[in-house]
Amino acid sequence: MMPEQDTLAHKFPAKFVWGVATSAYQIEGAANEGGRAPSIWDTFSHTPGKILDQSNGDVACDHYHRYVEDVEHIANLGLDAYRFSVSWSRVQPDGCGEWNEEGMAFYARLIEALTQKNIRAHMTLYHWDLPQALQEQGGWLNRDTAVHFARYAQEMAARFGDQLASIATHNEPWCTANLGYGNGQFAPGVVDPVAALQVSHHLLLSHGLAIQAMRKQNKSAKLGIVLNQWTADPATDSEEDRAAAAWEYARSVQWFMDPIFRGHYPELALAKIDRSRFIVAPEDMQTIQQPIDFLGINYYFRAYVSTETPPRLPEAKLGITDMGWEIYPEGLSRLLIGIHQEYKDLGLPPIYITENGMAVADQLEGEQIHDSRRIDYMQRHFQEVAKAIEAGVDIRGFFYWSLLDNFEWNSGYLRRFGLIYVDYVSQRRIWKDSAIWFKGFVQQFQHWRSSTKGTSTSREPT
Ligand code: FCB
Protein backbone atom coordinates (compact mmCIF):
# COMPACT_ATOMS: atom_id res chain seq x y z
CA MET A 1 0.00 0.00 0.00
CA MET A 2 1.06 3.54 -0.62
CA PRO A 3 2.22 5.39 2.48
CA GLU A 4 0.06 8.46 1.91
CA GLN A 5 -3.03 6.58 0.86
CA ASP A 6 -5.43 8.05 3.43
CA THR A 7 -4.78 11.61 2.40
CA LEU A 8 -4.28 11.04 -1.31
CA ALA A 9 -7.89 11.95 -2.09
CA HIS A 10 -7.40 15.31 -0.39
CA LYS A 11 -4.66 16.34 -2.74
CA PHE A 12 -6.89 17.20 -5.67
CA PRO A 13 -8.65 20.51 -6.33
CA ALA A 14 -12.31 20.56 -5.30
CA LYS A 15 -13.59 20.60 -8.88
CA PHE A 16 -11.34 17.80 -10.05
CA VAL A 17 -13.27 15.39 -12.28
CA TRP A 18 -13.00 11.60 -11.91
CA GLY A 19 -14.10 9.42 -14.76
CA VAL A 20 -13.59 6.39 -16.94
CA ALA A 21 -12.89 6.07 -20.65
CA THR A 22 -13.84 3.72 -23.48
CA SER A 23 -13.93 3.83 -27.27
CA ALA A 24 -16.56 2.87 -29.81
CA TYR A 25 -14.97 -0.02 -31.67
CA GLN A 26 -13.66 -1.54 -28.47
CA ILE A 27 -17.04 -1.84 -26.74
CA GLU A 28 -20.06 -1.18 -28.96
CA GLY A 29 -20.41 -4.31 -31.07
CA ALA A 30 -23.56 -4.17 -33.24
CA ALA A 31 -21.18 -3.85 -36.14
CA ASN A 32 -23.83 -4.52 -38.73
CA GLU A 33 -26.80 -2.94 -37.04
CA GLY A 34 -28.62 0.35 -37.17
CA GLY A 35 -27.25 1.33 -40.55
CA ARG A 36 -23.61 1.26 -39.48
CA ALA A 37 -21.11 0.70 -42.29
CA PRO A 38 -17.70 -0.94 -41.80
CA SER A 39 -14.69 0.95 -40.55
CA ILE A 40 -11.04 0.13 -41.17
CA TRP A 41 -11.01 -1.81 -37.90
CA ASP A 42 -13.78 -4.13 -39.13
CA THR A 43 -11.75 -4.83 -42.25
CA PHE A 44 -8.49 -5.21 -40.36
CA SER A 45 -9.80 -7.43 -37.58
CA HIS A 46 -11.47 -9.70 -40.14
CA THR A 47 -8.16 -10.13 -41.94
CA PRO A 48 -6.54 -13.40 -40.80
CA GLY A 49 -3.40 -13.01 -38.73
CA LYS A 50 -3.91 -9.40 -37.63
CA ILE A 51 -5.44 -9.98 -34.18
CA LEU A 52 -3.70 -12.10 -31.56
CA ASP A 53 -6.76 -14.24 -30.74
CA GLN A 54 -8.34 -13.96 -34.21
CA SER A 55 -11.21 -11.99 -32.71
CA ASN A 56 -12.97 -8.82 -33.83
CA GLY A 57 -15.30 -6.10 -32.56
CA ASP A 58 -18.50 -7.49 -34.10
CA VAL A 59 -20.02 -8.01 -30.65
CA ALA A 60 -17.33 -6.71 -28.24
CA CYS A 61 -19.08 -5.71 -24.98
CA ASP A 62 -22.42 -5.35 -26.77
CA HIS A 63 -22.52 -1.84 -25.35
CA TYR A 64 -24.76 -0.68 -28.21
CA HIS A 65 -27.55 -2.74 -26.61
CA ARG A 66 -26.35 -2.53 -23.01
CA TYR A 67 -25.48 1.15 -22.69
CA VAL A 68 -28.17 1.71 -20.06
CA GLU A 69 -26.61 -0.92 -17.80
CA ASP A 70 -23.14 0.46 -18.49
CA VAL A 71 -24.20 4.00 -17.60
CA GLU A 72 -25.67 2.57 -14.37
CA HIS A 73 -22.26 1.14 -13.56
CA ILE A 74 -20.60 4.51 -14.07
CA ALA A 75 -23.23 6.09 -11.82
CA ASN A 76 -22.80 3.37 -9.19
CA LEU A 77 -19.07 3.96 -9.24
CA GLY A 78 -19.92 7.50 -8.17
CA LEU A 79 -18.03 9.06 -11.05
CA ASP A 80 -18.51 12.54 -12.47
CA ALA A 81 -17.55 11.90 -16.06
CA TYR A 82 -17.45 9.44 -18.94
CA ARG A 83 -15.20 9.66 -22.00
CA PHE A 84 -16.43 7.73 -25.05
CA SER A 85 -15.90 7.90 -28.78
CA VAL A 86 -18.22 8.00 -31.74
CA SER A 87 -18.11 5.40 -34.47
CA TRP A 88 -17.91 7.70 -37.50
CA SER A 89 -19.28 5.04 -39.84
CA ARG A 90 -22.29 4.59 -37.55
CA VAL A 91 -23.32 8.21 -37.92
CA GLN A 92 -22.05 8.79 -41.45
CA PRO A 93 -21.61 5.43 -43.18
CA ASP A 94 -19.50 6.71 -46.08
CA GLY A 95 -17.55 9.27 -44.07
CA CYS A 96 -19.09 11.97 -46.26
CA GLY A 97 -22.57 12.73 -47.50
CA GLU A 98 -25.64 11.29 -45.78
CA TRP A 99 -26.06 11.15 -42.00
CA ASN A 100 -27.42 7.96 -40.51
CA GLU A 101 -30.15 9.11 -38.15
CA GLU A 102 -30.36 5.73 -36.42
CA GLY A 103 -26.70 6.00 -35.50
CA MET A 104 -27.11 9.59 -34.34
CA ALA A 105 -30.06 8.47 -32.21
CA PHE A 106 -27.85 5.97 -30.38
CA TYR A 107 -25.47 8.71 -29.25
CA ALA A 108 -28.41 10.97 -28.37
CA ARG A 109 -29.76 8.20 -26.11
CA LEU A 110 -26.35 7.59 -24.55
CA ILE A 111 -25.81 11.28 -23.81
CA GLU A 112 -29.32 11.55 -22.42
CA ALA A 113 -28.74 8.55 -20.13
CA LEU A 114 -25.50 10.14 -18.87
CA THR A 115 -27.15 13.52 -18.34
CA GLN A 116 -29.94 11.95 -16.32
CA LYS A 117 -27.34 10.49 -13.98
CA ASN A 118 -25.40 13.75 -13.76
CA ILE A 119 -22.43 12.29 -15.55
CA ARG A 120 -20.54 14.71 -17.77
CA ALA A 121 -20.19 13.41 -21.30
CA HIS A 122 -16.78 13.78 -22.98
CA MET A 123 -16.88 12.84 -26.64
CA THR A 124 -13.96 11.82 -28.85
CA LEU A 125 -14.64 12.07 -32.57
CA TYR A 126 -11.91 9.80 -33.86
CA HIS A 127 -10.63 6.81 -31.92
CA TRP A 128 -9.07 5.06 -34.92
CA ASP A 129 -12.11 3.72 -36.76
CA LEU A 130 -12.12 5.51 -40.12
CA PRO A 131 -15.10 4.65 -42.34
CA GLN A 132 -13.87 1.98 -44.76
CA ALA A 133 -15.41 3.99 -47.62
CA LEU A 134 -12.86 6.75 -46.98
CA GLN A 135 -10.04 4.23 -46.82
CA GLU A 136 -11.00 3.17 -50.34
CA GLN A 137 -10.18 6.72 -51.35
CA GLY A 138 -6.76 6.67 -49.72
CA GLY A 139 -7.70 7.10 -46.06
CA TRP A 140 -5.54 9.53 -44.11
CA LEU A 141 -3.04 9.70 -46.95
CA ASN A 142 -5.67 11.57 -48.90
CA ARG A 143 -5.82 15.21 -47.87
CA ASP A 144 -9.59 15.27 -48.55
CA THR A 145 -10.11 13.02 -45.54
CA ALA A 146 -9.21 16.01 -43.36
CA VAL A 147 -11.98 18.01 -45.00
CA HIS A 148 -14.52 15.21 -44.52
CA PHE A 149 -13.46 14.92 -40.90
CA ALA A 150 -14.06 18.63 -40.29
CA ARG A 151 -17.55 18.34 -41.77
CA TYR A 152 -18.30 15.38 -39.50
CA ALA A 153 -16.93 17.31 -36.49
CA GLN A 154 -19.10 20.29 -37.33
CA GLU A 155 -22.22 18.12 -37.49
CA MET A 156 -21.52 16.40 -34.17
CA ALA A 157 -20.84 19.75 -32.50
CA ALA A 158 -24.01 21.26 -33.98
CA ARG A 159 -26.14 18.38 -32.74
CA PHE A 160 -24.57 17.61 -29.36
CA GLY A 161 -22.25 20.48 -28.49
CA ASP A 162 -24.48 21.94 -25.78
CA GLN A 163 -24.94 18.61 -24.01
CA LEU A 164 -21.30 17.65 -23.92
CA ALA A 165 -18.62 18.74 -21.48
CA SER A 166 -15.98 18.37 -24.15
CA ILE A 167 -15.25 17.23 -27.68
CA ALA A 168 -11.82 15.89 -28.60
CA THR A 169 -10.94 15.71 -32.25
CA HIS A 170 -8.44 12.82 -32.23
CA ASN A 171 -7.35 10.13 -29.85
CA GLU A 172 -3.62 9.48 -30.04
CA PRO A 173 -2.84 10.54 -33.62
CA TRP A 174 0.68 9.20 -33.01
CA CYS A 175 -0.83 5.69 -33.03
CA THR A 176 -3.01 6.30 -36.09
CA ALA A 177 0.08 7.37 -38.02
CA ASN A 178 2.84 5.18 -36.64
CA LEU A 179 0.99 1.96 -35.88
CA GLY A 180 -1.57 2.28 -38.67
CA TYR A 181 0.89 3.32 -41.38
CA GLY A 182 4.36 2.94 -39.87
CA ASN A 183 4.63 -0.64 -38.64
CA GLY A 184 1.23 -1.92 -39.68
CA GLN A 185 0.23 -3.22 -36.24
CA PHE A 186 -3.05 -1.32 -36.39
CA ALA A 187 -5.60 -0.68 -39.12
CA PRO A 188 -5.23 -0.10 -42.00
CA GLY A 189 -2.04 -2.16 -41.58
CA VAL A 190 0.24 -0.24 -43.93
CA VAL A 191 4.00 -0.56 -43.45
CA ASP A 192 5.46 2.65 -44.85
CA PRO A 193 7.07 4.97 -42.28
CA VAL A 194 7.49 7.76 -44.83
CA ALA A 195 3.75 7.66 -45.56
CA ALA A 196 3.13 7.73 -41.80
CA LEU A 197 4.64 11.23 -41.68
CA GLN A 198 2.18 12.50 -44.25
CA VAL A 199 -0.64 10.81 -42.37
CA SER A 200 0.41 12.57 -39.17
CA HIS A 201 0.30 15.88 -41.02
CA HIS A 202 -3.18 15.21 -42.40
CA LEU A 203 -4.35 14.21 -38.93
CA LEU A 204 -3.08 17.48 -37.48
CA LEU A 205 -4.59 19.40 -40.37
CA SER A 206 -7.92 17.66 -39.81
CA HIS A 207 -7.70 18.61 -36.14
CA GLY A 208 -7.21 22.29 -37.01
CA LEU A 209 -10.00 22.30 -39.58
CA ALA A 210 -12.33 20.49 -37.17
CA ILE A 211 -11.64 22.94 -34.34
CA GLN A 212 -12.38 25.85 -36.70
CA ALA A 213 -15.58 24.23 -37.90
CA MET A 214 -16.76 23.40 -34.39
CA ARG A 215 -15.94 26.86 -33.02
CA LYS A 216 -18.31 28.35 -35.55
CA GLN A 217 -21.13 26.33 -33.99
CA ASN A 218 -20.65 28.34 -30.81
CA LYS A 219 -21.62 25.53 -28.42
CA SER A 220 -20.69 25.15 -24.78
CA ALA A 221 -18.55 22.00 -25.15
CA LYS A 222 -14.83 22.57 -24.58
CA LEU A 223 -12.76 21.66 -27.64
CA GLY A 224 -9.42 19.90 -27.68
CA ILE A 225 -7.35 16.88 -28.63
CA VAL A 226 -6.02 13.77 -26.88
CA LEU A 227 -2.34 12.88 -27.30
CA ASN A 228 -0.43 9.90 -25.99
CA GLN A 229 2.80 11.06 -24.46
CA TRP A 230 5.83 9.78 -22.62
CA THR A 231 9.08 10.99 -21.23
CA ALA A 232 12.06 9.79 -23.23
CA ASP A 233 14.77 8.72 -20.81
CA PRO A 234 18.29 7.95 -22.00
CA ALA A 235 19.43 4.57 -20.70
CA THR A 236 22.88 5.96 -19.86
CA ASP A 237 24.52 9.33 -19.70
CA SER A 238 26.35 8.76 -22.96
CA GLU A 239 26.07 11.43 -25.59
CA GLU A 240 24.58 8.90 -28.03
CA ASP A 241 21.82 7.86 -25.65
CA ARG A 242 21.02 11.43 -24.73
CA ALA A 243 20.83 12.49 -28.36
CA ALA A 244 18.66 9.48 -29.20
CA ALA A 245 16.31 10.31 -26.33
CA ALA A 246 15.99 13.91 -27.48
CA TRP A 247 15.18 12.67 -30.97
CA GLU A 248 12.61 10.24 -29.62
CA TYR A 249 10.89 13.02 -27.66
CA ALA A 250 10.94 15.29 -30.73
CA ARG A 251 9.46 12.71 -33.08
CA SER A 252 6.67 11.69 -30.71
CA VAL A 253 5.63 14.30 -28.15
CA GLN A 254 6.86 17.50 -29.82
CA TRP A 255 5.84 16.29 -33.27
CA PHE A 256 2.21 16.84 -32.26
CA MET A 257 2.60 19.53 -29.60
CA ASP A 258 4.75 21.95 -31.58
CA PRO A 259 2.44 22.34 -34.58
CA ILE A 260 -0.52 22.93 -32.23
CA PHE A 261 1.23 25.36 -29.87
CA ARG A 262 4.06 26.82 -31.95
CA GLY A 263 2.74 26.50 -35.49
CA HIS A 264 5.68 24.47 -36.78
CA TYR A 265 7.19 21.00 -36.58
CA PRO A 266 10.16 20.52 -34.23
CA GLU A 267 13.42 21.35 -36.00
CA LEU A 268 15.22 18.41 -34.46
CA ALA A 269 12.73 15.97 -35.94
CA LEU A 270 12.44 17.77 -39.30
CA ALA A 271 16.18 17.60 -39.72
CA LYS A 272 16.18 13.81 -39.49
CA ILE A 273 13.06 12.62 -41.25
CA ASP A 274 12.71 11.53 -44.85
CA ARG A 275 10.85 14.49 -46.34
CA SER A 276 10.68 13.12 -49.87
CA ARG A 277 6.93 12.56 -49.58
CA PHE A 278 6.11 15.13 -46.91
CA ILE A 279 3.84 17.80 -48.29
CA VAL A 280 2.78 20.73 -46.17
CA ALA A 281 0.76 23.46 -47.88
CA PRO A 282 1.69 27.04 -46.93
CA GLU A 283 -1.40 27.77 -44.85
CA ASP A 284 -1.53 24.40 -43.08
CA MET A 285 0.52 25.27 -40.03
CA GLN A 286 -1.66 28.27 -39.31
CA THR A 287 -4.74 26.09 -39.58
CA ILE A 288 -3.27 23.56 -37.16
CA GLN A 289 -2.33 26.21 -34.60
CA GLN A 290 -5.86 26.82 -33.31
CA PRO A 291 -6.39 27.77 -29.69
CA ILE A 292 -7.81 24.77 -27.82
CA ASP A 293 -9.71 24.65 -24.53
CA PHE A 294 -8.14 21.53 -23.11
CA LEU A 295 -5.38 19.04 -23.79
CA GLY A 296 -6.00 15.35 -23.08
CA ILE A 297 -2.93 13.33 -22.18
CA ASN A 298 -2.86 9.54 -22.21
CA TYR A 299 0.02 8.05 -20.26
CA TYR A 300 0.97 4.39 -19.98
CA PHE A 301 4.76 4.11 -19.99
CA ARG A 302 7.98 5.97 -20.68
CA ALA A 303 10.34 5.57 -23.61
CA TYR A 304 13.62 4.12 -22.39
CA VAL A 305 16.16 4.94 -25.03
CA SER A 306 19.34 2.96 -25.54
CA THR A 307 21.68 2.98 -28.52
CA GLU A 308 23.53 -0.16 -27.46
CA THR A 309 23.10 -3.52 -29.13
CA PRO A 310 21.25 -5.26 -27.67
CA PRO A 311 19.53 -2.24 -26.15
CA ARG A 312 19.63 -1.76 -22.40
CA LEU A 313 16.28 -2.38 -20.78
CA PRO A 314 14.82 -0.48 -17.84
CA GLU A 315 15.05 -2.05 -14.43
CA ALA A 316 11.23 -2.02 -14.15
CA LYS A 317 11.33 -1.93 -10.36
CA LEU A 318 7.53 -1.96 -10.15
CA GLY A 319 7.20 -4.70 -12.74
CA ILE A 320 5.51 -4.82 -16.12
CA THR A 321 1.86 -5.06 -17.08
CA ASP A 322 0.14 -7.80 -19.04
CA MET A 323 0.84 -5.70 -22.16
CA GLY A 324 4.56 -5.94 -21.39
CA TRP A 325 4.63 -2.23 -20.53
CA GLU A 326 6.95 -1.03 -17.77
CA ILE A 327 5.09 0.36 -14.75
CA TYR A 328 6.66 3.76 -14.29
CA PRO A 329 4.35 6.19 -12.48
CA GLU A 330 7.07 8.75 -11.91
CA GLY A 331 7.18 9.37 -15.66
CA LEU A 332 3.69 10.85 -15.44
CA SER A 333 4.58 13.72 -13.12
CA ARG A 334 7.83 14.36 -14.96
CA LEU A 335 5.99 14.43 -18.28
CA LEU A 336 3.29 16.79 -16.99
CA ILE A 337 5.72 19.18 -15.36
CA GLY A 338 7.89 19.15 -18.49
CA ILE A 339 4.95 19.86 -20.80
CA HIS A 340 3.80 22.64 -18.52
CA GLN A 341 7.21 24.28 -18.54
CA GLU A 342 7.67 23.90 -22.26
CA TYR A 343 4.27 25.14 -23.41
CA LYS A 344 2.78 27.25 -20.62
CA ASP A 345 3.57 30.50 -22.39
CA LEU A 346 2.35 29.19 -25.72
CA GLY A 347 -1.33 28.78 -24.89
CA LEU A 348 -1.22 25.41 -23.13
CA PRO A 349 -4.79 24.95 -21.87
CA PRO A 350 -5.92 22.93 -18.81
CA ILE A 351 -4.94 19.28 -18.97
CA TYR A 352 -7.04 16.17 -18.44
CA ILE A 353 -5.48 12.77 -18.00
CA THR A 354 -7.78 11.14 -20.53
CA GLU A 355 -6.31 7.63 -20.19
CA ASN A 356 -4.14 5.70 -17.79
CA GLY A 357 -4.62 2.13 -16.74
CA MET A 358 -3.22 -1.34 -16.50
CA ALA A 359 -3.79 -4.67 -18.20
CA VAL A 360 -3.83 -7.53 -15.70
CA ALA A 361 -4.42 -11.22 -16.36
CA ASP A 362 -7.48 -11.05 -14.12
CA GLN A 363 -8.88 -14.30 -12.77
CA LEU A 364 -12.48 -14.73 -11.78
CA GLU A 365 -12.61 -16.33 -8.31
CA GLY A 366 -16.23 -17.12 -7.63
CA GLU A 367 -17.79 -13.73 -8.21
CA GLN A 368 -14.67 -11.73 -7.40
CA ILE A 369 -11.53 -10.49 -9.08
CA HIS A 370 -8.71 -9.62 -6.73
CA ASP A 371 -6.71 -7.20 -8.85
CA SER A 372 -4.64 -5.60 -6.11
CA ARG A 373 -1.88 -4.81 -8.63
CA ARG A 374 -4.27 -2.56 -10.52
CA ILE A 375 -5.23 -0.75 -7.31
CA ASP A 376 -1.58 -0.19 -6.53
CA TYR A 377 -1.03 1.06 -10.10
CA MET A 378 -3.90 3.52 -9.82
CA GLN A 379 -2.79 4.88 -6.46
CA ARG A 380 0.73 5.39 -7.65
CA HIS A 381 -0.41 7.25 -10.74
CA PHE A 382 -2.91 9.38 -8.79
CA GLN A 383 -0.04 10.26 -6.50
CA GLU A 384 2.01 11.50 -9.46
CA VAL A 385 -0.89 13.59 -10.77
CA ALA A 386 -1.19 15.15 -7.32
CA LYS A 387 2.53 15.85 -7.40
CA ALA A 388 2.22 17.66 -10.75
CA ILE A 389 -0.74 19.71 -9.49
CA GLU A 390 1.31 20.65 -6.45
CA ALA A 391 4.07 21.78 -8.81
CA GLY A 392 1.64 24.16 -10.52
CA VAL A 393 0.34 22.14 -13.49
CA ASP A 394 -3.33 22.86 -14.23
CA ILE A 395 -4.86 19.37 -14.34
CA ARG A 396 -8.63 19.18 -14.20
CA GLY A 397 -9.50 15.51 -14.29
CA PHE A 398 -8.51 11.87 -14.59
CA PHE A 399 -10.18 9.13 -16.64
CA TYR A 400 -9.22 5.55 -15.89
CA TRP A 401 -8.80 3.32 -18.94
CA SER A 402 -11.10 1.49 -19.00
CA LEU A 403 -14.62 1.13 -17.60
CA LEU A 404 -14.87 -2.40 -18.97
CA ASP A 405 -12.60 -5.10 -20.27
CA ASN A 406 -12.85 -4.74 -24.03
CA PHE A 407 -11.44 -5.41 -27.49
CA GLU A 408 -7.82 -4.37 -27.05
CA TRP A 409 -7.04 -3.78 -30.74
CA ASN A 410 -4.46 -6.21 -32.11
CA SER A 411 -4.39 -8.04 -28.74
CA GLY A 412 -8.08 -8.90 -29.11
CA TYR A 413 -9.81 -9.92 -25.87
CA LEU A 414 -6.62 -11.26 -24.31
CA ARG A 415 -5.75 -8.08 -22.41
CA ARG A 416 -8.04 -6.87 -19.66
CA PHE A 417 -7.88 -3.18 -18.70
CA GLY A 418 -11.34 -2.83 -17.12
CA LEU A 419 -12.40 -1.86 -13.64
CA ILE A 420 -15.29 -4.13 -14.51
CA TYR A 421 -14.71 -7.67 -15.72
CA VAL A 422 -16.63 -8.78 -18.79
CA ASP A 423 -17.58 -12.41 -19.26
CA TYR A 424 -17.75 -12.33 -23.05
CA VAL A 425 -19.95 -15.44 -23.26
CA SER A 426 -22.76 -14.18 -21.07
CA GLN A 427 -21.88 -10.45 -21.32
CA ARG A 428 -22.11 -10.32 -17.54
CA ARG A 429 -20.29 -7.39 -15.92
CA ILE A 430 -18.53 -8.13 -12.63
CA TRP A 431 -16.88 -5.47 -10.50
CA LYS A 432 -13.23 -6.09 -9.81
CA ASP A 433 -11.68 -5.10 -6.47
CA SER A 434 -10.25 -2.06 -8.28
CA ALA A 435 -13.77 -0.83 -9.11
CA ILE A 436 -14.74 -1.11 -5.45
CA TRP A 437 -11.54 0.65 -4.44
CA PHE A 438 -11.99 3.47 -6.99
CA LYS A 439 -15.54 4.05 -5.80
CA GLY A 440 -14.28 4.35 -2.21
CA PHE A 441 -11.50 6.68 -3.27
CA VAL A 442 -13.84 8.99 -5.16
CA GLN A 443 -16.26 8.95 -2.22
CA GLN A 444 -13.46 9.96 0.09
CA PHE A 445 -12.60 12.80 -2.29
CA GLN A 446 -16.22 13.93 -2.43
CA HIS A 447 -16.66 13.84 1.36
CA TRP A 448 -13.55 15.86 1.80
CA ARG A 449 -14.74 18.29 -0.85
CA SER A 450 -18.10 18.83 0.80
CA SER A 451 -16.52 19.13 4.23
CA THR A 452 -14.36 21.97 2.97
CA LYS A 453 -17.59 23.55 1.65
CA GLY A 454 -16.22 24.02 -1.78
CA THR A 455 -13.27 26.14 -0.75
CA SER A 456 -10.57 25.53 -3.22
CA THR A 457 -7.22 26.42 -4.63
CA SER A 458 -6.52 29.17 -7.11
CA ARG A 459 -6.23 26.59 -9.87
CA GLU A 460 -9.94 25.85 -9.97
CA PRO A 461 -11.76 25.67 -13.28
CA THR A 462 -14.16 28.52 -13.82
C1 FCB B 1 -4.48 3.51 -25.77
C2 FCB B 1 -5.75 3.56 -26.58
C3 FCB B 1 -6.91 2.81 -25.94
C4 FCB B 1 -6.44 1.51 -25.32
C5 FCB B 1 -5.29 1.78 -24.39
C6 FCB B 1 -4.80 0.54 -23.67
O1 FCB B 1 -3.39 3.70 -26.60
O2 FCB B 1 -6.15 4.89 -26.79
O3 FCB B 1 -7.88 2.59 -26.91
O4 FCB B 1 -6.12 0.62 -26.30
O5 FCB B 1 -4.22 2.31 -25.12
Side-chain angles (χ1 to χ4, degrees), residues 36-325:
R36 179 185 182 276
S39 77
I40 55 174
W41 268 95
D42 295 89
T43 312
F44 188 75
S45 62
H46 282 266
T47 308
K50 300 294 187 194
I51 311 296
L52 209 53
D53 59 357
Q54 314 305 327
S55 64
N56 55 59
D58 285 4
V59 178
C61 305
D62 195 30
H63 172 77
Y64 183 77
H65 298 116
R66 294 167 196 265
Y67 73 94
V68 174
E69 181 191 344
D70 292 339
V71 170
E72 287 277 342
H73 283 296
I74 304 169
N76 290 339
L77 282 162
L79 299 175
D80 316 298
Y82 176 51
R83 171 176 178 248
F84 63 97
S85 82
V86 173
S87 160
W88 185 353
S89 63
R90 191 182 288 292
V91 297
Q92 193 181 31
D94 292 336
C96 58
E98 294 295 294
W99 306 107
N100 174 32
E101 292 306 328
E102 216 179 324
M104 290 288 188
F106 167 69
Y107 295 105
R109 290 197 300 276
L110 172 64
I111 294 166
E112 178 56 28
L114 291 165
T115 308
Q116 276 184 10
K117 298 275 181 193
N118 270 324
I119 301 164
R120 295 149 55 106
H122 294 256
M123 176 187 277
T124 301
L125 293 170
Y126 189 81
H127 203 120
W128 307 348
D129 43 358
L130 188 77
Q132 181 62 34
L134 290 185
Q135 190 61 37
E136 314 287 312
Q137 296 164 38
W140 286 110
L141 262 180
N142 183 344
R143 194 180 161 95
D144 293 346
T145 299
V147 177
H148 297 313
F149 179 74
R151 180 67 191 89
Y152 154 60
Q154 178 189 323
E155 187 71 17
M156 299 311 283
R159 291 187 186 227
F160 301 113
D162 280 334
Q163 291 144 270
L164 296 167
S166 79
I167 306 178
T169 52
H170 284 277
N171 176 72
E172 305 191 350
W174 182 94
C175 291
T176 308
N178 293 288
L179 307 183
Y181 282 82
N183 66 15
Q185 263 178 20
F186 283 5
V190 176
V191 184
D192 184 349
V194 179
L197 290 169
Q198 191 59 31
V199 165
S200 69
H201 180 67
H202 288 159
L203 292 168
L204 279 163
L205 177 64
S206 76
H207 158 78
L209 290 171
I211 295 284
Q212 282 178 333
M214 291 193 289
R215 277 288 173 231
K216 288 204 191 107
Q217 301 306 306
N218 216 6
K219 301 290 182 180
S220 59
K222 303 283 185 205
L223 307 179
I225 187 168
V226 172
L227 303 174
N228 51 324
Q229 299 190 338
W230 42 71
T231 52
D233 298 341
T236 71
D237 239 2
S238 76
E239 213 168 294
E240 292 78 11
D241 282 359
R242 279 190 288 125
W247 151 242
E248 166 55 34
Y249 188 71
R251 65 175 279 277
S252 54
V253 176
Q254 293 169 323
W255 186 260
F256 291 94
M257 291 290 281
D258 281 10
I260 294 171
F261 296 108
R262 295 182 200 274
H264 59 78
Y265 285 101
E267 287 304 327
L268 181 61
L270 274 186
K272 283 186 81 169
I273 61 166
D274 178 345
R275 288 160 79 166
S276 56
R277 283 184 278 145
F278 190 54
I279 301 163
V280 177
E283 73 284 3
D284 287 359
M285 300 315 293
Q286 219 182 322
T287 306
I288 295 168
Q289 196 186 7
Q290 296 299 315
I292 52 175
D293 307 322
F294 75 94
L295 172 69
I297 293 184
N298 295 353
Y299 175 80
Y300 288 95
F301 46 74
R302 64 168 161 175
Y304 190 78
V305 185
S306 166
T307 54
E308 290 169 41
T309 334
R312 280 186 194 236
L313 297 174
E315 224 183 302
K317 282 197 214 118
L318 297 173
I320 56 168
T321 73
D322 206 30
M323 292 295 280
W325 296 345

